Amino acid sequence: GLDLVKDRRSKAPDPELAQRVMRECLELGMMTSVVRGGFGIFRIAPPLTIEPHEIDLGIDIFDKALARAL
């Protein structure tokens, strides 16, 4: 998983940022899953048959979505 926090010192979860990133990922063509309950944790569970180029694409999409959400 990947935990989005408000700041690194307090490690307080940032569920609002997680929701924005999730929406941006969807706009860019990638479905994501965020743990419910006020946490900013992304559940990462690609299929066992994923190809290396698909992993790279997913990381690229997530990076763009995070930049757009900030």
Side-chain angles (χ1 to χ4, degrees), residues 29-40:
M30 182 174 78
M31 292 181 64
T32 59
S33 174
V34 176
V35 175
R36 296 180 193 256
F39 301 102

Side-chain angles (χ1 to χ4, degrees), residues 49-67:
T49 58
I50 194 165
E51 296 289 331
H53 72 277
E54 294 171 315
I55 294 170
D56 293 339
L57 178 60
I59 291 169
D60 185 51
I61 289 172
F62 192 87
D63 184 50
K64 287 177 185 173
L66 183 58

Side-chain angles (χ1 to χ4, degrees), residues 37 43-44 59:
R43 187 176 301 132
I44 301 170
I59 291 169

Side-chain angles (χ1 to χ4, degrees), residues 20-21 24-25 28 60-70:
R20 290 194 309 269
V21 172
E24 293 293 339
C25 282
L28 294 167
D60 185 51
I61 289 172
F62 192 87
D63 184 50
K64 287 177 185 173
L66 183 58
R68 287 169 51 169
L70 290 175

Side-chain angles (χ1 to χ4, degrees), residues 3 12 19 23 27 44 49 66:
D3 192 4
Q19 291 297 316
R23 284 191 298 271
E27 280 190 30
I44 301 170
T49 58
L66 183 58

